[in-house]
């Protein structure tokens, strides 16, 4: 295995001190042009790359923020990452993106990794409903911002969308279209988003004078297309099939749509479908999907900006934690439009 090139090797080849090499790297204006050129030539010849992690440990401030999301296979979280990365890059920072895969165990491992790497801070969409992972991570003193989740206390910032309002938008639209029997294809019950969207759906039914019996929940263990196809198969097996379905995210809705298409069930004539997130694939589906839009890129950018505010050196001025709650928007497409 080739031995890594260090700053001492550069100094030896250039015929200068280690301090001079350090100055060329960090304060080039303090070094004479001829000496600087000799050091840079040695750096290029040896292929020297400075140890950023070592520099950060000496300075006590990392230039990396962590981002831990539920599922990087979901385009919603890809867009969240895009927004966070854009804001971080403008501040001269990078983003370490990790995927918990909706697993509390993997979430704990990645949070431990962030602590070991001494990241500047973390943007986190939690999957552990017990809160133990967050409690353990909080002991490291590393700032974090909750993403797509409302902070329940005043100990951290959060950026989220009003999912109760979003669930109400989806089901109110279906009720207005004449549906009185609606299925809710949900996800893991421990996720706040799943519960809040169900609460909104029930609120919309109550507004219309319909009881909770008008909403039939079909739970899923995951929030992906395969789980949506499985939920669609269960829908098809019901003796009294609902006339509409509201899905906790677009991937579930696309899976339900696939199951209906394979079974010859017309959408929206036989079953109306509404998703959530408004990912790019929603508009490109075989039957364009009605969806509740979340501003994913904005969520990521705002979360990163809050983290940057918290981690800036502000003297004695304390950081004030904020909870930012954005409003969702219903985007109506053919999957839920009444027949003409």
């Amino acid at each position: 295995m080739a031995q890594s090139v260090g700053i001492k090797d550069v100094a030896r080849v250039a015929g200068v001190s280690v301090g001079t090499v350090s100055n060329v790297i960090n304060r080039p204006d303090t070094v004479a042009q001829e000496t600087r050129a000799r050091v840079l030539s040695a750096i290029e010849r040896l292929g020297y790359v400075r140890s950023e992690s070592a520099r950060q440990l000496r300075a006590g401030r990392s230039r990396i923020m962590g981002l831990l999301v539920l599922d990087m296979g979901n385009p919603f979280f890809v867009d969240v990452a895009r927004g966070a990365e854009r804001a971080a890059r403008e501040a001269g920072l990078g983003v370490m993106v990790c995927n918990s895969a909706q697993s509390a165990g993997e979430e704990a491992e990645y949070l431990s990794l962030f602590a070991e790497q001494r990241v500047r801070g973390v943007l986190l969409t939690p999957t552990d409903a017990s809160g133990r992972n967050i409690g353990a991570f909080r002991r490291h003193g590393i700032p974090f911002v909750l993403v797509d989740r409302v902070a329940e206390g005043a100990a951290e910032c959060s950026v989220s969308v009003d999912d109760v309002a979003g669930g109400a938008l989806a089901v109110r639209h279906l009720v207005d279209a004449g549906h009185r029997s609606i299925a809710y294809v949900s996800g893991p019950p421990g996720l706040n988003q799943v519960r809040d969207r169900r609460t909104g759906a029930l609120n919309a039914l109550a507004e219309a004078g319909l009881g909770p019996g008008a909403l039939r929940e079909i739970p899923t263990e995951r929030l992906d297309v395969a789980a949506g196809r499985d939920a669609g198969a269960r829908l098809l097996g019901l003796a009294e099939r609902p006339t509409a379905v509201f899905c906790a995210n677009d991937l579930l809705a696309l899976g339900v749509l696939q199951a209906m298409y394979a079974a010859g069930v017309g959408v929206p004539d036989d079953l109306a479908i509404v998703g959530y997130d408004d990912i790019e694939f929603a508009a490109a589906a075989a039957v364009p999907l009605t969806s509740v839009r979340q501003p994913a890129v904005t969520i990521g950018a705002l979360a990163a900006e809050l983290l940057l505010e918290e981690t800036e050196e502000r003297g004695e001025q304390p950081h004030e934690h904020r909870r930012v709650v954005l409003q969702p928007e219903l985007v109506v497409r053919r999957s839920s439009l009444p027949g003409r």
Side-chain angles (χ1 to χ4, degrees):
M1 181 181 293
Q3 194 170 18
S4 61
V5 176
I7 192 170
K8 292 182 179 179
D9 299 304
V10 175
R12 176 177 50 79
V13 170
V16 298
S17 68
V18 169
T20 298
V21 177
S22 177
N23 285 336
V24 170
I25 295 171
N26 298 298
R27 295 177 295 278
D29 292 341
T30 65
V31 182
Q33 183 175 353
E34 181 181 347
T35 303
R36 187 166 67 240
R38 196 162 70 249
V39 170
L40 291 174
S41 175
I43 287 174
E44 183 177 359
R45 190 170 3 139
L46 294 172
Y48 168 74
V49 177
R50 71 173 176 176
S51 173
E52 180 64 17
S53 59
R55 188 192 70 81
Q56 290 174 179
L57 287 174
R58 288 192 298 271
R61 286 178 62 77
S62 170
R63 293 179 57 245
I64 298 294
M65 67 171 62
L67 171 62
L68 181 56
V69 299
L70 296 179
D71 180 11
M72 279 306 293
N74 185 339
F76 168 75
F77 288 112
V78 174
D79 286 342
V80 168
R82 283 176 49 218
E85 191 273 338
R86 183 184 304 167
R89 188 175 64 246
E90 290 176 356
L93 273 66
V95 179
M96 180 192 299
V97 182
C98 297
N99 176 25
S100 72
Q102 302 174 45
S103 163
E106 292 191 34
E107 177 181 84
E109 290 177 6
Y110 279 123
L111 289 175
S112 294
L113 175 64
F114 290 151
E116 291 171 6
Q117 295 296 317
R118 301 187 188 182
V119 296
R120 175 77 63 91
V122 174
L123 308 179
L124 170 64
T125 303
T127 191
D128 177 25
S130 72
R132 285 191 295 268
N133 287 343
I134 288 179
F137 183 70
R138 191 177 275 121
R139 292 197 294 268
H140 295 290
I142 298 174
F144 63 93
V145 175
L146 298 182
V147 179
D148 196 32
R149 178 75 56 85
V150 178
E152 297 179 358
E156 57 268 337
C157 294
S158 66
V159 181
S160 63
V161 168
D162 188 340
D163 284 319
V164 174
L169 281 174
V171 172
R172 192 178 296 124
H173 166 68
L174 292 171
V175 169
D176 289 345
H179 297 283
R180 296 295 179 267
S181 177
I182 300 169
Y184 175 46
V185 175
S186 61
L191 293 180
N192 288 13
Q193 299 94 320
V194 169
R195 296 197 300 268
D196 287 349
R197 291 165 197 178
R198 181 179 184 273
T199 297
L202 292 172
N203 290 348
L205 291 174
E207 290 172 6
L210 300 171
L215 188 72
R216 179 158 188 170
E217 185 167 359
I218 300 179
T220 63
E221 294 184 358
R222 300 186 62 81
L223 292 164
D224 54 26
V225 174
R229 284 196 297 267
D230 176 71
R234 282 183 278 160
L235 267 171
L236 291 168
L238 295 177
E240 295 183 9
R241 187 188 307 159
T243 61
V245 57
F246 166 45
C247 298
N249 76 359
D250 284 341
L251 297 182
L252 289 173
L254 291 171
V256 171
L257 179 61
Q258 289 179 6
M260 296 304 112
Y261 182 82
V265 175
V267 175
D269 295 337
D270 299 318
L271 183 75
I273 302 177
V274 175
Y276 205 104
D277 290 338
D278 195 35
I279 63 175
E280 183 178 356
F281 299 135
V287 179
L289 186 66
T290 294
S291 185
V292 178
R293 175 178 293 165
Q294 297 198 86
V297 173
T298 300
I299 290 172
L302 287 175
E305 289 167 7
L306 287 175
L307 187 60
L308 289 167
E309 286 179 14
E310 184 171 357
T311 57
E312 284 177 355
E313 295 179 349
R314 303 164 64 92
E316 297 181 358
Q317 183 178 355
H319 171 76
E320 293 185 6
H321 293 299
R322 287 187 284 153
R323 288 184 289 181
V324 179
V325 181
L326 305 174
Q327 291 303 307
E329 174 189 358
L330 182 70
V331 180
V332 179
R333 300 189 181 96
R334 190 155 60 90
S335 70
S336 66
L337 291 175
R340 297 180 181 178

